[in-house]
Amino acid sequence: MSNRTIDLNDALYRYLLDVSLREHPVLAELRAETHRHPLANMQIAPEQGQFMALLVKMLGARRTLEIGVFTGYSALAVALALPDDGRVIACDISREYTDVARACFDKAGVAHKIVLHIAPALQTLDDLIAQGQEGAFDFAFIDADKTGYDAYYERCLRLLRAGGVIAVDNVLWGGRVALPAMDEDTAAIQDFNRKLHQDQRIDLSMVPIGDGLTLARKR
Ligand code: SAM
Ligand code: CA
């Protein structure tokens, strides 16, 4: 027993999944399919998808943003948690990855809740701001190129209502954030984490789930 977060060894991680994971069959299929993809490790962990879905329900979210869709696991987990008139504005630059996602959204019966924008996310977010959508979103998930995090965060903060939550993925970056930065991505995440710690526009918690997920609630 200790007052710090427990380490999860393989047996304990399996136990956690055994006694708590409730995965929609299309999410399970998508996870198995993505497992064969050379970039499979880009997909979030299933318990993280379930955590984000719970958060979306707790927020009573209707309008959400996703920056970085890949084959669609996180977008699908969020869409399944939204009411029927809920919407995910989903940003990615890859048609190839998101074609897999589209097929799964259809199969799960939530395609009407997800609007995919195939363009650099910054452009999509700036367009939403230009269209007067500031304050119109309840939840955002940031999981695209790491050097873009700060710009995505600043846009998402404008697009969220007060009380809305931004979830930022990979903030522990496989442990590399705790070492001297050897590359641009690590340095970008380190700077981003330091910035959020001091940012008085938000309340925050860095949650050690998956590869680290920071929750930032707009004040
Ligand atoms: N959230 C996804 C999941 O749960 O499976 C994983 C997202 S993956 C880590 C990152 C994605 O960001 C890739 O699909 C990539 O094409 C996309 N991406 C990279 N640069 C981007 C940009 N400038 N704008 C939008 N998407 C971008
Ligand atoms: Ca990620």
Side-chain angles (χ1 to χ4, degrees):
M1 283 294 186
S2 120
N3 61 353
R4 53 166 281 174
T5 302
I6 194 169
D7 281 335
L8 288 185
N9 59 27
D10 288 353
L12 193 52
Y13 179 58
R14 264 196 312 277
Y15 175 81
L16 178 152
L17 295 182
D18 276 353
V19 301
S20 73
L21 185 65
R22 296 179 182 171
E23 195 174 33
H24 187 284
V26 180
L27 281 174
E29 252 179 69
L30 173 58
R31 192 153 62 90
E33 181 180 351
T34 304
H35 189 68
R36 297 189 290 272
H37 192 284
L39 295 171
N41 64 355
M42 292 214 298
Q43 184 173 63
I44 60 163
E47 68 279 12
Q48 182 181 335
Q50 185 169 326
F51 177 66
M52 284 166 44
L54 181 64
L55 197 60
V56 160
K57 288 191 180 182
M58 286 164 69
L59 281 167
R62 304 191 93 77
R63 304 196 63 204
T64 78
L65 296 162
E66 166 144 322
I67 323 301
V69 177
F70 188 42
T71 57
Y73 194 96
S74 49
L76 181 54
V78 167
L80 286 165
L82 289 175
D84 199 56
D85 63 349
R87 292 290 176 272
V88 182
I89 305 298
C91 309
D92 206 290
I93 43 175
S94 168
R95 271 196 198 281
E96 185 194 333
Y97 301 156
T98 54
D99 279 350
V100 177
R102 272 183 217 279
C104 290
F105 302 158
D106 266 334
K107 200 166 190 179
V110 294
H112 62 288
K113 296 190 201 174
I114 303 167
V115 186
L116 264 175
H117 290 260
I118 305 300
L122 207 52
Q123 188 185 310
T124 302
L125 297 173
D126 281 338
D127 286 349
L128 290 169
I129 290 170
Q131 289 158 18
Q133 301 281 311
E134 285 193 47
F137 291 85
D138 308 295
F139 175 77
F141 180 48
I142 299 178
D143 189 21
D145 52 305
K146 307 312 168 200
T147 52
Y149 268 25
D150 186 46
Y152 302 145
Y153 169 75
E154 288 297 331
R155 272 42 169 210
C156 287
L157 208 51
R158 292 175 66 178
L159 288 162
L160 249 60
R161 63 164 166 90
V165 169
I166 305 176
V168 188
D169 202 32
N170 303 105
V171 292
L172 295 177
W173 204 227
R176 294 188 292 285
V177 283
L179 304 170
M182 302 289 283
D183 60 83
E184 252 198 321
D185 286 348
T186 305
I189 298 174
Q190 288 174 332
D191 290 347
F192 180 77
N193 287 341
R194 262 187 235 109
K195 167 177 163 165
L196 263 61
H197 191 200
Q198 302 304 326
D199 192 342
Q200 296 305 311
R201 297 170 298 176
I202 57 158
D203 302 304
L204 90 162
S205 177
M206 189 183 266
V207 184
I209 190 171
D211 192 29
L213 184 72
T214 288
L215 301 183
R217 176 189 176 275
K218 181 174 173 175
R219 286 180 167 164

